[in-house]
Amino acid sequence: MARKASFLLSALLLGGAAGCFLLGAGVTVVDVVLRAVAGRNVPGAIEITSFTIGLGALLSMPVCYTTRTHVTAKLVSELAPGRFARPFGLLGAAVSILFAAALLWIVAENTLSKLGSPETSPDLGLPVPALLLVVTATLVLALASAFVGLWLELRKARA
């Protein structure tokens, strides 16, 4: 049951990320075409693209931490996988937790300082505190996923 829920959550997050990337790319293409054809632009195109691409990246982070599919460099572990793969896998999972925690700490601190602020985004007028709450919530999920990734790495090391 937990595996099924995990798969569903991963699929939802990756689907959301893909949708964000497609929306960002679509707005950019429409903006370029409108500029070339009609001499006009999509209002807020840069902001829409920035927000959607950024959210897409954030939504993919929890999945990468849980499945341990983020970018890695396999230098020494490729020379002697039996000797180095497990210890470096555990080290990588632990460092992922530290990175996710540091990122969450920095963003959460900024979010708390902006709560109640009337600040809005320049082009679309979206409330900055609400945007930061979305980012913070996604980073909370990423940190939890990093812990799951370490737990799975520990289980793999014991097997």
Side-chain angles (χ1 to χ4, degrees), residues 1-157:
M1 184 66 167
R3 197 174 284 263
K4 195 174 190 179
S6 173
F7 177 78
L8 180 62
L9 181 59
S10 292
L12 286 172
L13 289 170
L14 289 178
C20 286
F21 292 139
L22 287 172
L23 180 61
V27 167
T28 301
V29 168
V30 169
D31 188 54
V32 168
V33 169
L34 271 178
R35 286 174 193 261
V37 173
R40 302 192 62 199
N41 65 331
V42 174
I46 293 172
E47 199 167 279
I48 293 169
T49 302
S50 297
F51 288 162
T52 56
I53 298 296
L55 182 58
L58 284 170
L59 290 174
S60 65
M61 284 175 68
V63 178
C64 292
Y65 281 135
T66 301
T67 58
R68 311 271 303 126
T69 54
H70 48 280
V71 177
T72 59
K74 295 181 179 180
L75 304 173
V76 179
S77 64
E78 290 298 315
L79 297 174
R83 178 179 288 163
F84 295 113
R86 286 185 180 148
F88 283 168
L90 289 170
L91 177 64
V95 170
S96 292
I97 290 172
L98 293 175
F99 177 75
L103 197 56
L104 174 60
W105 179 275
I106 292 165
V107 172
E109 196 172 70
N110 187 35
T111 301
L112 287 173
S113 74
K114 301 280 185 174
L115 287 179
S117 166
E119 188 177 355
T120 60
S121 64
D123 296 333
L124 302 174
L126 299 173
V128 168
L131 295 171
L132 287 171
L133 282 171
V134 170
V135 173
T136 303
T138 307
L139 291 175
V140 166
L141 187 58
L143 178 59
S145 297
F147 276 104
V148 171
L150 176 62
W151 179 70
L152 292 172
E153 195 70 34
L154 285 168
R155 283 186 47 191
K156 186 169 81 173

